[in-house]
Amino acid sequence: MAAIGPGYDDPEYDNYDPDWRHQDTPFRRWLHERLTAAGSRCAADIAAAYAPANRYNGLPSDDMDTLATLTGASIDGVRSAHKADLDDWAREQQLCDHPDLAGLDADLDRLRRRS
């Protein structure tokens, strides 16, 4: 079956990471928890479908409406989870852009866990 849309080597996919389909992200965890609590038997599959799209393509309002309905959350709740995930991603990107910060980040995490 032919792929729909541009291939991974096309400029539109700059910075696309195929591992996002499996990566544990704050939005994916939030979706899975909310969908499971709402009784969805497809929580993992839905979270796997929406979590990468959230980071790469954004979250259109019709998807926010759908997720709010499926999770029992408000649209503001979905938007907040979406924004928290993007903030987490921005932090990851900073560490990738400045690998010297990774050591500092690890030290700060270690200090936080001690307290």
Side-chain angles (χ1 to χ4, degrees):
M1 175 179 230
I4 298 172
Y8 292 123
D9 59 345
D10 289 339
E12 184 177 334
Y13 276 93
D14 285 350
N15 298 319
Y16 177 78
D17 182 354
D19 287 337
W20 284 352
R21 291 180 301 227
H22 310 289
Q23 187 178 30
D24 182 32
T25 65
F27 190 64
R28 185 182 195 135
R29 283 190 304 274
W30 180 88
L31 267 179
H32 189 267
E33 289 168 9
R34 294 298 301 235
L35 290 164
T36 300
S40 173
R41 293 182 304 203
C42 303
D45 293 333
I46 294 169
Y50 278 97
N54 171 60
R55 283 193 170 186
Y56 190 67
N57 298 317
L59 199 59
S61 61
D62 57 334
D63 287 348
M64 280 194 209
D65 291 340
T66 300
L67 292 175
T69 300
L70 291 174
T71 61
S74 67
I75 291 177
D76 285 339
V78 175
R79 187 178 293 115
S80 293
H82 164 68
K83 184 174 177 345
D85 190 67
L86 294 181
D87 291 345
D88 184 71
W89 184 35
R91 184 171 172 266
E92 286 178 20
Q93 295 308 303
Q94 283 181 320
L95 290 175
C96 289
D97 292 344
H98 302 283
D100 53 317
L101 294 178
L104 175 61
D105 183 59
D107 284 340
L108 292 174
D109 286 346
R110 182 181 49 78
L111 291 172
R112 186 191 65 201
R113 284 190 297 271
R114 279 194 341 201
S115 34

